[in-house]
Amino acid sequence: MDEISSLHPRAESLRVRKKLVDGFKMGLVVEEGLAAHGRGEAFDYLLSERTTREARRAIKAAAAALLLAERPVISVNGNAAALVPEELVELSRVTGAKLEVNLFHGSRGRERAIARWLRQHGASEVLGVDPRFYTRIREVHSQRRKVDRRGIAAADVVLVPLEDGDRTEALKRLGKRVIAIDLNPMSRTARAADITIVDNIVRAMPLLVAEARRLSKLSRRSAEKAIGDFDNDSSLRATYRLMQDGLRRLAETGTLRR
Ligand code: PTJ
């Protein structure tokens, strides 16, 4: 594809798509990942492609939960790796969370490619690629059930960007605190997670890193308060209403712009 002109009205969205397509060509992303991104784009459109106040609150609570955790883990799939590799590595550094490759459409080659890609972006350790440490979560009914004994299996808090509902519910049943990033506020993942950031991962991750950095300098109480102040159900309901407003505006005026 040619260079994307900044003058194009959808330049940013096209740049993000290009990152995914490049990730696909590099063997990081599966075809299904391109389709999943399209679904995310539709929801993002209804939010006028902006980070909402609800998402900012969720980001604050998520940063706090990662910082307060004893064994936090960031689960990485193909789309997340292609779109925000620097931020994933930086978040791991700031919060002490381990990075673990965990795929829905599992393949050893892709696992290794994603781990290599994260190392190229500064990760010192990437879990989920060494068969000696594999274990299985029986509750999960997809290839995601294969996890690292040192990572997701032992984690108390897991960040799951762009996730399928099955595993989120299973992780919850195992007593873990789950943080999701998902543009669909009605998905099973969004509803099952403790903290759902309804935002595009490309906008949410830099904000999450910045918030974690800020909170890491404050007291433990500030982090606890950020979690206590957050209510996932009301956050999802408010976001859903914003999307309904977006849809109504689009129908009435032909534009999402206010
Ligand atoms: O790399 P793999 O094999 O682990 O596969 C990754 C995908 C994304 C294909 C896999 O996890 C999958 O099939 O996911 P789903 O069930 O399609 O769910 C993806 C969710 O992420 C949907 O609710 C989308 O709306 C949402 N989503 C897609 N793109 C973004 C997003 N949320 C935030 N930011 C995005 N850029």
Side-chain angles (χ1 to χ4, degrees):
M1 185 175 163
D2 297 335
E3 193 66 15
I4 297 160
S5 161
S6 322
L7 298 175
H8 192 288
R10 308 222 27 90
E12 189 45 36
S13 171
L14 294 179
R15 270 190 213 109
V16 175
R17 279 189 186 177
K18 183 170 176 345
K19 272 192 171 186
L20 261 193
V21 171
D22 289 347
F24 175 69
K25 289 180 185 158
M26 283 189 284
L28 307 173
V29 175
V30 269
E31 280 118 328
E32 291 85 345
L34 304 177
H37 183 75
R39 175 153 35 149
E41 279 185 346
F43 287 110
D44 205 12
Y45 193 65
L46 296 178
L47 290 175
S48 304
E49 297 165 346
R50 275 198 293 246
T51 302
T52 63
R53 196 178 49 185
E54 285 67 27
R56 285 181 194 277
R57 287 189 184 138
I59 285 169
K60 191 170 173 186
L66 288 169
L67 287 168
L68 290 177
E70 283 174 25
R71 295 173 305 281
V73 173
I74 302 168
S75 179
V76 182
N77 65 17
N79 287 41
L83 293 176
V84 285
E86 291 94 353
E87 290 84 354
L88 291 167
V89 173
E90 189 55 14
L91 186 66
S92 151
R93 208 186 55 72
V94 176
T95 60
K98 291 179 190 295
L99 290 164
E100 175 168 341
V101 180
N102 184 272
L103 304 178
F104 185 74
H105 305 278
S107 110
R108 291 283 295 133
R110 199 155 64 90
E111 275 168 15
R112 279 196 293 258
I114 293 172
R116 205 164 41 242
W117 177 246
L118 292 174
R119 286 202 196 89
Q120 281 167 17
H121 287 84
S124 50
E125 184 187 37
V126 182
L127 306 182
V129 280
D130 185 340
R132 286 175 305 165
F133 297 102
Y134 286 159
T135 181
R136 285 177 204 286
I137 299 181
R138 263 187 295 128
E139 286 81 353
V140 178
H141 306 295
S142 71
Q143 293 177 44
R144 284 207 201 277
R145 77 171 69 92
K146 190 181 76 182
V147 294
D148 197 303
R149 211 172 287 147
R150 303 160 298 170
I152 291 171
D156 53 348
V157 175
V158 190
L159 170 65
V160 291
L162 281 57
E163 178 68 16
D164 60 290
D166 183 38
R167 185 170 67 139
T168 307
E169 289 171 349
L171 293 175
K172 282 300 303 162
R173 280 200 297 278
L174 290 169
K176 301 178 195 292
R177 179 177 262 166
V178 180
I179 304 166
I181 303 178
D182 189 338
L183 273 161
N184 179 0
M186 293 158 286
S187 74
R188 265 195 306 147
T189 293
R191 286 181 286 129
D194 297 278
I195 301 169
T196 303
I197 303 168
V198 183
D199 197 13
N200 198 318
I201 191 171
V202 299
R203 292 191 304 271
M205 278 300 291
L207 295 172
L208 186 51
V209 172
E211 191 56 32
R213 206 175 278 133
R214 190 186 72 82
L215 273 179
S216 70
K217 297 184 187 121
L218 304 181
S219 67
R220 192 181 167 88
R221 259 185 64 79
S222 313
E224 284 165 352
K225 183 168 179 332
I227 298 177
D229 286 349
F230 182 76
D231 178 72
N232 207 44
D233 282 344
S234 0
S235 172
L236 292 179
R237 267 197 300 267
T239 310
Y240 177 63
R241 278 196 297 272
L242 285 175
M243 286 184 175
Q244 281 184 313
D245 289 347
L247 201 55
R248 200 171 306 119
R249 236 180 4 262
L250 192 61
E252 285 168 6
T253 67
T255 172
L256 283 162
R257 302 274 163 252
R258 282 165 209 278

